[in-house]
Amino acid sequence: QARRKDKEGHALYRGRLKKQTPPWAEKDLIKQFYFNCPKGFHVDHIIPLKGININGLHVISNLQYLKAQENIVKSNMFEDSQL
């Protein structure tokens, strides 16, 4: 049952990625960015795809590497001062 929930959550995330990826996104660069992610890090959306007050895009300029623990703590938080 836990595995099923995990699969459902991943499917929702993939759907959100697709929805938030504009036609002009440089998909090859995005794939390369994920491929080059250092061990112990996560690929993070600077402006979350599904934030509380703002939704970001799945584009190369909205990606960064964060240590895994930092990304888990950050969750989908974003402060306007980061703009």
Side-chain angles (χ1 to χ4, degrees):
Q1 194 171 21
R3 183 176 281 191
R4 181 176 160 196
K5 282 186 178 183
D6 189 45
K7 283 185 177 184
E8 289 171 0
H10 192 65
L12 288 172
Y13 181 74
R14 283 193 322 266
R16 193 173 308 122
L17 280 180
K18 187 174 181 178
K19 182 179 175 185
Q20 296 300 113
T21 305
W24 48 265
E26 299 170 296
K27 294 176 185 168
D28 290 340
L29 288 178
I30 293 170
K31 286 179 187 177
Q32 193 67 33
F33 195 85
Y34 275 87
F35 181 78
N36 291 327
C37 186
K39 188 174 183 171
F41 284 73
H42 288 175
V43 174
D44 172 63
H45 290 89
I46 300 164
I47 300 174
L49 299 181
K50 186 178 178 187
I52 295 169
N53 297 316
I54 189 169
N55 293 328
L57 295 175
H58 185 57
V59 294
I60 193 71
S61 61
N62 191 33
L63 300 178
Q64 66 179 348
Y65 299 130
L66 272 185
K67 290 184 180 178
Q69 188 59 37
E70 290 176 33
N71 192 38
I72 292 166
V73 170
K74 178 184 176 249
S75 185
N76 66 345
M77 299 297 172
F78 178 79
E79 295 181 20
D80 292 341
S81 62
Q82 292 176 276
L83 287 176

